[in-house]
Structures are given as structure tokens and as C-alpha cells.
Amino acid sequence: MEAAITILALLFVAFVALGVYLTVKAVGAAKRGVDRTITQARRTVEDTTLRAKSFGQTGVAGELAQLRLSLRTSMRATQDALHAGVAEDPSLAESVDLFRRLSAHGLELDEELKRLEREPDRATVSGLLPQLRERTQRITHSADSLRWAARDRARQFADDDLDALNAQIDIEAGALRHWTVEERPGAASGGEGTSRGRRPGTDPEADWPAPPAGAGNSSTADESWGGPAREGAPQAITAPDPQLGTRYPWQKSARPETTN
């Protein structure tokens, strides 16, 4: 009895621990989802604000907003391209590491541009603009180089695969179009009377049944094909019995004789 109580207590503790673990995991996943949503919303609002400032404001404030917008757009596009490509091409892992190092410089520049937007001394900020513009161009140029190199690599692999597929399809199409028909036994060696060039099953002499035995010496065989009777051959007095001999596909079945 005590052993059963101990087992039940252990099972209860195990179920409670499992429930607590699953609850913590669910709460953590929900928190990460909320944080991701908030970050995405904040990023969208900030990008919209920068776009509005770059088009609506002139002078130092407008140029700072344009530099930030250009930097963020280039870095985000490169990040998405590399993370999407590394799942299919593991050789892009080194490019991802290089981009991570480049992102550190990009984030530092973005924070500096963000601080300068709130700087009241516009004359000093105006003097720093050439240097900030050069740094932004260097970072965006490196990010664009990585992004386009990854895209060119993926496109080259796709082109190579398509070329190999086209070659295989051409070989298969050639094999499907290649057919040979052997010569009929007893045909002339010069090629006359052969079945070459004729599809299998289209030779009338091969498909239709042979005439009945002895038909070569009577006029019945000639008349059955619609030709005249041979000269000197005996004429038939009565029609041949349709139930005798080999029948042709176009002949109708003879009606059975009835007796009264």
C-alpha cells in the first residue's frame, strides 16, 4: 500500500513539473512573439518617419534622415538575403559572419546619425555631413556587394541545374523519337517491298489473314479482292460456301438455314 502511494506521489510530482515546464515554454514563446511584434511595429514607424523627413524636410535634418533610411534599407535587405540563402547554401556562412561584423559598424553609424538629428548646433552637424555621407556609402556598398554576390551565386546554380535538366530532356526526347522496324523475311535486298519507313501494324499483308489454301489457282480469290478472273481458269458454277475456308473481316456472318 505504501509503495502504491509513493508511486502515485511521484507521478503527481512528475505531471506537475511537466505542466510547469510547458507553461514556462509557452509564456516564453508568447513573450518572444510579442517582443518581435513590438520591434517590427517600432521599426515600421521609424522607417515611415524617416521617409517622411527625407522628403518633407530640407537641409541638415532631411539629409540625416535620408542617410539613415539608405543605411537601414540596405542592411535589412542584405540580412534577409543572406539568412534566406544560407539555409540552402551552407557556403554562405562566412558571408553571414562578415555581415555580422559589418552590422556592428552600421548600428554604430545609425546611432550616431540618430543623435545628430537632435543636435541643436546645425552648423557643426553640417560640417560632419561629408564624413557621415562617406561612411554611409562605404557600409552600404559593402552590404550591397554581399547581397548581390549571394544572389548571383544562387542564380548561377539555378542556371547550371537548368542546363543539366535541358540536356537530359534532349537526350530523352531523342530516345523517344528513335525507332527501327526490321525487314520482313524474304524481302528484296534492294529495299523494295520492305516495311522500312512504315509504322508497325500498318502492313496490310501482315495484318489481314492469308487467303484459303488453293486460292492461288482459282478465280474465287481474285474475285474476292475485286479483280478479274485469270484467263484460262475454270469458272465457278456455284458460289462458294461462306462457312468454308478462312473468313475476312469485312464479310458478314452467314445466316443459319432454317428448316420448316
Side-chain angles (χ1 to χ4, degrees):
M1 188 65 180
E2 295 179 356
I5 295 175
T6 303
I7 293 174
L8 291 177
L10 291 176
L11 290 175
F12 177 76
V13 172
F15 282 121
V16 170
L18 180 61
V20 172
Y21 174 76
L22 294 178
T23 302
V24 172
K25 294 289 289 183
V27 170
K31 185 178 182 299
R32 287 191 299 270
V34 172
D35 294 340
R36 191 181 305 112
T37 303
I38 294 175
T39 302
Q40 183 68 26
R42 185 184 298 113
R43 182 183 303 166
T44 303
V45 171
E46 193 169 2
D47 290 344
T48 304
T49 304
L50 289 175
R51 190 172 290 106
K53 287 181 178 180
S54 63
F55 288 105
Q57 294 183 359
T58 58
V60 178
E63 190 164 357
L64 288 175
Q66 187 175 1
L67 290 177
R68 286 192 64 195
L69 183 62
S70 175
L71 176 66
R72 293 162 66 90
T73 303
S74 177
M75 297 297 287
R76 188 176 300 121
T78 303
Q79 179 180 356
D80 294 342
L82 292 179
H83 286 175
V86 74
E88 300 178 358
D89 188 3
S91 61
L92 293 178
E94 185 176 356
S95 299
V96 174
D97 294 336
L98 293 175
F99 176 75
R100 189 177 295 111
R101 295 171 56 186
L102 183 65
S103 296
H105 294 277
L107 292 174
E108 181 181 357
L109 177 60
D110 185 68
E111 290 295 331
E112 184 175 356
L113 292 172
K114 188 176 182 179
R115 287 193 305 268
L116 291 176
E117 286 181 348
R118 299 186 298 267
E119 178 64 38
D121 190 358
R122 295 301 181 182
T124 303
V125 176
S126 179
L128 295 176
L129 280 179
Q131 180 183 357
L132 296 173
R133 192 182 301 110
E134 182 183 358
R135 288 177 59 188
T136 304
Q137 290 177 356
R138 291 176 60 185
I139 294 176
T140 55
H141 175 73
S142 298
D144 294 342
S145 297
L146 284 175
R147 183 175 69 254
W148 284 110
R151 290 178 178 176
D152 292 342
R153 180 181 179 86
R155 184 171 60 253
Q156 183 62 38
F157 284 162
D159 292 340
D160 293 343
D161 183 70
L162 181 59
D163 292 340
L165 180 61
N166 289 336
Q168 294 178 1
I169 291 176
D170 291 340
I171 294 175
E172 180 65 17
L176 292 175
R177 291 191 180 96
H178 183 268
W179 62 82
T180 57
V181 181
E182 297 181 358
E183 292 185 358
R184 291 186 293 107
S189 60
E192 297 179 359
T194 64
S195 62
R196 190 178 305 277
R198 191 192 304 271
R199 291 185 302 170
T202 58
D203 191 351
E205 297 183 8
D207 291 344
W208 296 113
N217 297 326
S218 65
S219 61
T220 306
D222 294 332
E223 292 177 352
S224 63
W225 291 95
R230 294 183 180 179
E231 184 178 357
Q235 299 296 327
I237 299 176
T238 58
D241 189 355
Q243 297 183 356
L244 298 179
T246 304
R247 302 184 57 81
Y248 294 98
W250 58 84
Q251 292 179 343
K252 297 182 179 179
S253 301
R255 296 182 180 179
E257 296 180 359
T258 58
T259 57
N260 294 329

